Amino acid sequence: MSPDDTPADLPPQRAAVLAFLRRELAAGRAPSLAEIALAFGFASRNAAQKHVQALVADGLIEQAQGRKRGLRLPGGGADLLPLPVLGRVAAGLPVSAEGVARLGPVAAGEDALWLDRRLFSPRPDYLLRVQGDSMIDDGILDGDLVAVQGTPEARDGQTVVARVDGELTIKRLQRTRRRIVLLPRNPAYAPIEVGPGQDFAIEGVYCGLVRRG
């Protein structure tokens, strides 16, 4: 039986839950029990849990232990990549941060997403939620999740997550022998020029984005 097949003897409501989970997981969204219950009008999460447990027992869905959003498609482990959502990054004026390594999850329950690794290049390490519109000409919009590969190195012209005076921002890097400039991709914003001796570090390079409808 193909992973996309639905057993003929599956109860209609369970088949509908399976179809819902397949659609959400294929889009990189791992629904919580509360979200499944809400989608189907269940009175509590217990009903959603019974359907999920039955689908896991039948091998139609897989579940990572100890994770609130641990559901995933069976047989997809080779192509799916778990990416933690570590916080927010400004696409506009920089937002305060203590560095990506110390950022916590954006919200309870959204600690990681399972995404197709083929969507990104290079391979990312984490996701950050964009706040602002300074990168719209590069197709990076307010509310998008940007995938980032953590590295202190970047080439001229790459889009990077940078820390300037303890604040994080996403911009296009312009680097010459004499200066570093962080370029917005929206004419309403001015470039950020990094001055001599200013606290500056590359936290990572942009690998792609996820836009959740």
Side-chain angles (χ1 to χ4, degrees):
M1 182 173 64
S2 165
D4 293 328
D5 289 342
T6 301
D9 59 349
L10 208 63
Q13 191 171 60
R14 189 158 299 159
V17 172
L18 175 61
F20 170 77
L21 291 176
R22 283 174 170 169
R23 183 174 65 251
E24 292 295 293
L25 293 171
R29 298 184 289 264
S32 66
L33 292 176
E35 289 169 343
I36 298 170
L38 180 64
F40 287 89
F42 297 148
S44 72
R45 292 183 298 177
N46 290 337
Q49 186 173 24
K50 289 180 180 178
H51 285 296
V52 168
Q53 287 176 339
L55 293 170
V56 170
D58 288 341
L60 297 169
I61 294 292
E62 292 181 357
Q63 185 168 32
Q65 296 301 314
R67 301 193 69 89
K68 184 175 181 180
R69 295 179 183 270
L71 297 177
R72 56 191 179 189
L73 296 171
D79 295 322
L80 294 180
L81 186 67
L83 294 176
V85 183
L86 293 187
R88 293 180 172 85
V89 63
L93 298 177
V95 292
S96 296
E98 295 179 354
V100 170
R102 293 187 291 278
L103 286 174
V106 169
E110 192 181 38
D111 57 341
L113 296 178
W114 289 82
L115 299 170
D116 189 335
R117 71 184 64 210
R118 294 169 297 184
L119 296 173
F120 309 107
S121 180
R123 175 173 171 162
D125 298 308
Y126 57 85
L127 300 167
L128 295 173
R129 188 173 297 282
V130 173
Q131 181 178 322
D133 61 358
S134 72
M135 298 297 288
I136 57 174
D137 286 353
D138 279 355
I140 301 173
L141 308 183
D142 183 53
D144 285 347
L145 288 169
V146 290
V148 181
Q149 182 184 65
T151 175
E153 302 294 333
R155 301 187 307 274
D156 179 51
Q158 283 188 297
T159 297
V160 301
V161 172
R163 176 166 46 84
V164 183
D165 292 333
E167 301 180 325
L168 288 181
T169 188
I170 182 168
K171 295 287 185 291
R172 188 176 290 188
L173 179 67
Q174 183 182 78
R175 173 177 269 160
T176 68
R177 286 186 177 182
R178 297 185 177 182
R179 68 174 192 164
I180 295 173
V181 181
L182 300 174
L183 300 174
R185 299 294 293 155
N186 180 338
Y189 292 84
I192 300 171
E193 185 165 353
V194 180
Q198 192 170 6
D199 177 34
F200 170 80
I202 301 294
E203 296 281 3
V205 296
Y206 169 77
C207 305
L209 63 81
V210 180
R211 186 164 298 147
R212 304 179 71 184

